[in-house]
Amino acid sequence: YLKISELALAFAIIHSKPPGKSSKEYTEYLAKAVSEQDFGWKWKVEVLEAEVLRLRQELLLNRISPRFCLENRKQDTSAETLLGRESINPTSYSSQLEDSGCDISNNSTFDSLGQASDFHQSEHNVNTSKHWFERAPPLNLCHTSKEQSLTAPMQFLQHLLEIRKLSEGGILQADFSELENDSFTVCNSVSQLLDGLTVFYNSPKFPAPSFLTEAVCVLINLITDTKLSNHVLKKCFKKMEEFKKNLIQIILRNRSVNRFQALHSVSQMLGLLGRNIILRNSLISLLLLEVRQFAEQLLQAHQVQSLYDITQYENIFPLCMILEQLLQNETQESNISSSDYEGEEKIKFLKNLDQIILHLSDEFPLFSLYLWRVSVLLNSGQMQ
């Protein structure tokens, strides 16, 4: 039936083609016209889906805290960020992007990852008063289409964080059990935020746009909030895992000449995600996998005296730095030592690692040193 239909369509195109045009040209013209119509319908569907999500977000916020939504509608407020500028220092974040990016030293990377402590300090300094209502950004701000991928879900999640702070301070009553009843809205909003961040990290601008910094702040505050993170991670854990994998691949595959600015900002994002203990363990597994696979490929290339990818060799060092920092944080911030991090990737990483280091140490001393330092952290419990 399909073949007969295709044949009938071909005859119809041949018989109906205008004079002066070949069948091929007329077929291409029809295909273009149909695709344009499909694109128009897809755009309309996307607009309607976005509007439905916005309405569901407002409805969910109203169910959680009707008083908050009522007060928020009364205010004619600006788009000032609620938690963003209090959580990350924009000056330090953007200043690292203004440089040519040719220096990505060990200390600077650790310092940038160490900024995660500022999130916890800022949360205690937030003034949980009625001024929160006056600073609440509306949900229907107008942005460009590229910004909209971040700002729309970002503002919804900002409102959740506002309600959380106000309810914690006793200013507002809120029922967060409603998050369980409408997991679609929360998951969709988080997914859109993660997809928007992935788009920007794939083609970053320097210095980083303010709304990108705000989106990072919202995401980090969301997953570090003890009450909201349980709802978010339970429903969106797979999406968070996909996001971390995408960030790792962005680092490994970046081949631009002046790429170290982008690598540094992505590394910082991974380090901040690692502040959450659940995300940290899975992130350590992902990093161990990538570093181990690269070490095995480098050893194989060294043994047969073949060429290796110098760009990927340079890009592996940010992953090594993040891995080392996460293992150190796990030891310092928890009563559980890093040796208690048990998993298949740890066993695979440590297997034959001494032989790999021995063969690579002469020609690749810096990489071998990182392998050794990571192995020491993984085995720290056994050495005590």
Side-chain angles (χ1 to χ4, degrees), residues 316-335:
I316 201 67
F317 285 100
L319 298 187
C320 293
M321 295 175 185
I322 300 167
L323 178 58
E324 183 180 9
Q325 183 65 37
L326 292 178
L327 291 173
Q328 288 176 344
N329 289 343
E330 188 175 80
T331 303
Q332 296 169 359
E333 299 176 8
S334 175
N335 294 325

Side-chain angles (χ1 to χ4, degrees), residues 135-185:
R135 301 175 62 193
L139 284 175
N140 58 350
L141 294 177
C142 296
H143 298 276
T144 61
S145 58
K146 191 172 184 180
E147 293 178 2
Q148 189 66 26
S149 63
L150 282 175
T151 54
M154 179 181 69
Q155 289 169 7
F156 166 69
L157 299 174
Q158 276 180 329
H159 280 74
L160 284 180
L161 290 168
E162 291 173 61
I163 296 174
R164 170 79 172 97
K165 290 295 181 182
L166 290 170
S167 63
E168 190 179 45
I171 301 173
L172 195 67
Q173 290 185 349
D175 181 13
F176 287 98
S177 63
E178 291 291 337
L179 293 176
E180 295 285 352
N181 301 328
D182 192 1
S183 59
F184 170 82
T185 301

Side-chain angles (χ1 to χ4, degrees), residues 109-134:
T109 302
F110 287 173
D111 289 343
S112 66
L113 297 180
Q115 286 182 353
S117 60
D118 296 337
F119 288 103
H120 303 286
Q121 296 175 0
S122 63
E123 290 179 2
H124 295 292
N125 297 330
V126 173
N127 180 20
T128 55
S129 66
K130 293 184 179 180
H131 292 292
W132 281 96
F133 289 124
E134 299 174 1

Side-chain angles (χ1 to χ4, degrees), residues 279-327:
L279 298 180
R280 181 192 302 166
N281 288 338
S282 60
L283 180 56
I284 289 175
S285 293
L286 293 173
L287 293 172
L288 286 174
L289 171 64
E290 294 295 341
V291 174
R292 175 181 62 83
Q293 288 181 343
F294 178 79
E296 292 174 351
Q297 294 170 5
L298 189 62
L299 175 61
Q300 184 179 4
H302 176 66
Q303 289 175 338
V304 299
Q305 296 298 311
S306 63
L307 297 176
Y308 63 93
D309 190 339
I310 184 64
T311 301
Q312 191 173 13
Y313 177 76
E314 294 174 346
N315 292 347
I316 201 67
F317 285 100
L319 298 187
C320 293
M321 295 175 185
I322 300 167
L323 178 58
E324 183 180 9
Q325 183 65 37
L326 292 178
L327 291 173

Side-chain angles (χ1 to χ4, degrees), residues 6 11 25 38 51 73 75 79 106 111 113-114 128 132 141 143 167 186 199 233 259 275 287 302 305 315 349 351 361:
E6 291 175 347
F11 275 112
E25 292 173 341
D38 290 342
E51 179 64 13
R73 288 192 180 95
Q75 299 294 335
N106 194 5
D111 289 343
L113 297 180
T128 55
W132 281 96
L141 294 177
H143 298 276
S167 63
V186 178
V199 169
L233 292 179
R259 64 186 179 278
R275 301 294 297 184
L287 293 172
H302 176 66
Q305 296 298 311
N315 292 347
F349 184 87
K351 184 180 181 181
S361 58

